[in-house]
Amino acid sequence: GDSVTQMEGPVTLSEEAFLTINCTYTATGYPSLFWYVQYPGEGLQLLLKATKADDKGSNKGFEATYRKETTSFHLEKGSVQVSDSAVYFCALSANAGGTSYGKLTFGQGTILTVHP
Amino acid sequence: DTEVTQTPKHLVMGMTNKKSLKCEQHMGHRAMYWYKQKAKKPPELMFVYSYEKLSINESVPSRFSPECPNSSLLNLHLHALQPEDSALYLCASSQDWGRREKLFFGSGTQLSVL
C-alpha cells in the first residue's frame, strides 16, 4: 500500500541555519504530495503542495520539489527562525486505485526546534 | 472564512459518559473528516463524509459514532470510551473528496478519558 517515510527527528537548529527534512514515498501512479505543519496546541496547516513530477511547492521560505525518479519530496528552508519550531508532516494523497485514494497518508512527523 | 471550528477545545469524560464533539465549516466544502492523533504521532483517519454521506469508516469501534447533520456540520458522538481513546481529535474539510486536494484542519479537541 501507499506509504510515506520521513527522516526521524527531532531536529535542533540554530536560528538562520539551513533546514532539510527528507521525505520519500511509495505509491501507485502519480500521487499529490504535501507538507503540513503543526504548531504546539494547534491543528495541522498546509505548508505547501505539489501535484505532478518536477513541480516545486513553496511558501513562507520553505520549498519542496516533487521528484518522481527518486520518489522524494524533501522540505528545505535556507534560513530558519525560532517561529518555525513545530512538527512537520509529509503526506500523500493517491489517485484512483491507490490505497490513499480520498485520504491523506502521513509520515511519522519530524519535530523541529530552532534556538535563538 | 477559511476556518474549521471545533468545540469543545478540551474534554474530560468518564468511561460511562456520553459526550459529543462538534465541527463546523462555512467554506462550502463537501467533504469532512475525523482524525485521531496521539501525542508525537501523525493523525489517523477515522471517518470521511462526502456530500453528507459516510464514505470511509476506517474500522473504528462503535463507541465512536459520527454524524453529519448538514453540509457545514460534523459531529462525533462518544459513548463508553476507554482510557486509550484519550487523544487529540481533529476535524478537517476539503472542497471535494477523492480529488487529492488539500485539507483544512481545525485546532482539535483534546480528549481525556478517565
Side-chain angles (χ1 to χ4, degrees), chain B residues 11-87:
Chain B
L11 179 62
V12 178
M13 61 186 290
M15 289 189 286
T16 59
N17 292 158
K18 287 184 181 181
K19 296 287 185 183
S20 296
L21 309 184
K22 296 186 184 301
C23 175
E24 190 168 3
Q25 57 87 14
H26 296 288
M27 294 178 279
H29 289 173
R30 305 317 299 244
M32 296 187 78
Y33 310 74
W34 280 115
Y35 281 84
K36 173 183 176 180
Q37 186 180 26
K38 292 284 216 179
K40 301 186 190 303
K41 296 293 186 183
E44 300 173 7
L45 182 66
M46 300 175 72
F47 303 104
V48 179
Y49 274 83
S50 177
Y51 288 84
E52 302 161 45
K53 294 193 185 318
L54 185 63
S55 296
I56 294 179
N57 175 344
E58 293 284 85
S59 303
V60 178
S62 59
R63 58 186 184 269
F64 294 91
S65 175
E67 178 196 21
C68 190
N70 60 56
S71 60
S72 299
L73 294 175
L74 185 66
N75 298 322
L76 186 62
H77 303 297
L78 314 173
H79 174 54
L81 294 193
Q82 304 297 310
E84 59 265 29
D85 296 322
S86 298

Side-chain angles (χ1 to χ4, degrees), chain A residues 36-92:
Chain A
Y36 281 85
V37 59
Q38 186 172 30
Y39 298 101
E42 297 185 12
L44 280 71
Q45 302 174 23
L46 179 69
L47 183 58
L48 51 85
K49 65 178 279 191
T51 57
K52 60 183 187 295
D54 300 325
D55 263 3
K56 177 186 281 188
S58 62
N59 185 26
K60 300 181 182 178
F62 291 90
E63 293 183 342
T65 301
Y66 190 142
R67 301 286 188 200
K68 184 141 181 76
E69 63 276 13
T70 54
T71 61
S72 65
F73 193 55
H74 305 320
L75 182 68
E76 296 182 337
K77 186 175 186 182
S79 176
V80 294
Q81 305 300 311
V82 172
S83 56
D84 293 326
S85 298
V87 183
Y88 292 80
F89 292 98
C90 186
L92 71 82

Side-chain angles (χ1 to χ4, degrees), chain A residues 7 13 17 31 49 61 67 73 94 98 100 103 107-108:
Chain A
M7 66 180 286
L13 296 172
K49 65 178 279 191
R67 301 286 188 200
F73 193 55
S100 287
K103 54 188 177 182
Q108 288 302 303

Side-chain angles (χ1 to χ4, degrees), chain B residues 1-4 25-27 29 93 104-105:
Chain B
D1 184 358
T2 58
E3 282 192 352
V4 175
Q25 57 87 14
H26 296 288
M27 294 178 279
H29 289 173
S93 70
F104 291 78
F105 284 85

Side-chain angles (χ1 to χ4, degrees), chain A residues 4 8 18 20 24 34 40 45 47 77 87 92 94 100 112 115:
Chain A
V4 176
E8 298 198 9
F18 184 84
T20 299
T24 57
F34 307 85
Q45 302 174 23
L47 183 58
K77 186 175 186 182
V87 183
L92 71 82
S100 287
L112 170 66
H115 293 297

